[in-house]
Amino acid sequence: ARAMNSAQSPATEPALPQALAPDAFSSMFQSIAGLRNLRAAAAMLGCFVAGVLVAGLLGYVGRGSFTMMALAALLAALLFFTGIHAAGVLLMDQARRLPPRSVIDAVVYGLMCVPKTIALIVLMVLAVIALYVVMWLLFLVCKIPGLGPVLFTFVFPACVLLAGLTVVGMMISLQIALPALWEGAGVAGALAKAF
């Protein structure tokens, strides 16, 4: 048996885990170059300033009017999200080594990413609600006399853990899905990449 093991070819031996590539650390440190992208900073800062100005002007014009205050908040949020997406698009172009687009193009594209982001958030909230409905049904089963308290001892800690992991997982998935939107993926494609 020892002779047979020593005679095995290297191709049949189990593969050893690969070490980090030599350029892994250099590519990680190249991500700092995104902080020097002035177009991304200008797009985000410009949208943020515009959002504050629009909210301030509408708030001043409609003093005491709930409708004007709601409109001001909605437009400010729209401009804030547009700025974040515009900066993300410009940074994604830089990371993919594509020719840089203009700030105006990035802002328009960022504005088109806002409805996709809202759709992603709605889908994730619906998934969390579906999980909470399942947990509610499990807690209803735990009301069965005799068997209920025994089930509750297992169901309650499992539901607490599952609820926490789900909410944190959804928040992380949203952050992972945003770069897919910036690359041009649809909602389904962004969810697929996130999961």
Side-chain angles (χ1 to χ4, degrees):
R2 286 183 187 166
M4 289 179 73
N5 285 340
S6 63
Q8 284 182 340
S9 67
T12 59
E13 292 179 8
L16 296 174
Q18 300 249 340
L20 285 174
D23 62 342
F25 287 114
S26 66
S27 66
M28 180 183 72
F29 290 123
Q30 286 174 358
S31 64
I32 297 171
L35 297 174
R36 295 189 305 241
N37 190 327
L38 296 180
R39 288 175 185 249
M44 188 166 60
L45 188 62
C47 286
F48 284 7
V49 168
V52 169
L53 288 176
V54 166
L57 287 174
L58 286 177
Y60 180 74
V61 169
R63 284 174 257 158
S65 170
F66 176 76
T67 307
M68 288 299 279
M69 293 297 189
L71 181 64
L74 185 65
L75 285 176
L78 179 68
L79 286 168
F80 288 162
F81 280 118
T82 300
I84 290 170
H85 286 303
V89 166
L90 289 168
L91 290 172
M92 184 60 70
D93 287 349
Q94 178 183 353
R96 294 170 64 200
R97 290 184 166 82
L98 294 176
R101 63 181 90 190
S102 70
V103 174
I104 300 297
D105 288 343
V107 169
V108 170
Y109 192 83
L111 184 61
M112 291 188 305
C113 287
V114 172
K116 294 178 187 178
T117 306
I118 293 171
L120 274 174
I121 292 171
V122 167
L123 286 175
M124 290 181 177
V125 166
L126 289 176
V128 171
I129 289 172
L131 175 72
Y132 286 159
V133 167
V134 169
M135 286 193 266
W136 175 70
L137 292 173
L138 287 173
F139 285 130
L140 279 180
V141 171
C142 289
K143 289 186 173 187
I144 298 173
L147 182 62
V150 175
L151 286 175
F152 185 76
T153 3
F154 298 105
V155 168
F156 180 71
C159 285
V160 168
L161 184 65
L162 188 62
L165 288 175
T166 301
V167 170
V168 170
M170 289 296 177
M171 293 171 79
I172 292 172
S173 296
L174 180 63
Q175 302 303 318
I176 294 173
L178 288 180
L181 292 179
W182 300 333
E183 286 180 335
V187 175
L191 280 175
K193 286 187 179 184
F195 288 123

